[in-house]
Amino acid sequence: MDTSTRQRWLSALANSPIERLLALLPPALPADPRWLRRAETGLMMLQGRSGGAGARFNLGEISVSRASCEIDGHVGHGWVCGSDGRHAKLIAQADALLQDPARHGELMLAWIAPLENELAERRAARSREAASSKVEFFTMVRGE
């Protein structure tokens, strides 16, 4: 599995609401995965860059939940902003199953494609909402 594909599915899982994951994932999840790291919540330091390209600085902390499990020899990791350990556990299990070449294509179509479509729709709706309140400013130059 290449890194960019895995990043894509982890992003879709982490940015989707847990209610959607609970409706979509459980039928395919194993009853008792081997947990390498049970769900735990901690803090992570966020870094920023002035102007997007300047020197790094510590912006602040954010709470993060994580979990890791092993399913059929594949290790899955789940990270999600916030303190919902169930969300991290679902992501870890989905990550492990998506690494299995026998299931990968089927699960990408069943899980990731719909989640990515929903994320794109939410982003487009937010963009339309922001565009509706956009104010155009202009400067008039005085002739002297």
Side-chain angles (χ1 to χ4, degrees):
M1 222 42 59
D2 66 70
T3 303
S4 63
T5 303
R6 189 168 182 203
Q7 286 174 342
R8 193 179 116 214
W9 80 57
L10 286 171
S11 175
L13 292 165
N15 289 308
S16 296
I18 188 168
E19 295 79 19
R20 182 66 175 117
L21 296 183
L22 287 169
L24 194 63
L25 304 180
L29 297 179
D32 192 25
R34 183 172 155 244
W35 289 104
L36 305 174
R37 176 184 293 130
R38 296 261 177 207
E40 58 189 21
T41 300
L43 294 173
M44 179 180 278
M45 181 61 68
L46 293 177
Q47 292 186 340
R49 289 182 182 265
S50 55
R56 290 181 184 217
F57 63 92
N58 291 335
L59 184 64
E61 294 178 333
I62 187 170
S63 62
V64 177
S65 295
R66 67 181 183 173
S68 298
C69 70
E70 181 183 0
I71 300 172
D72 299 332
H74 301 286
V75 177
H77 302 284
W79 289 73
V80 66
C81 292
S83 59
D84 194 346
R86 294 178 312 148
H87 198 168
K89 288 169 64 173
L90 286 171
I91 294 169
Q93 292 177 72
D95 181 39
L97 290 174
L98 283 160
Q99 292 177 57
D100 184 357
R103 300 178 184 172
H104 178 76
E106 171 193 343
L107 295 178
M108 284 295 283
L109 288 175
W111 292 348
I112 305 306
L115 292 176
E116 286 179 331
N117 289 338
E118 292 166 13
L119 284 170
E121 289 172 12
R122 282 199 303 274
R123 286 183 182 130
R126 278 195 310 256
S127 181
R128 283 190 304 273
E129 184 181 337
S132 70
S133 64
K134 183 178 177 182
V135 177
E136 295 288 337
F137 292 97
F138 63 92
T139 304
M140 295 180 59
V141 178
R142 285 190 328 181
E144 292 190 21

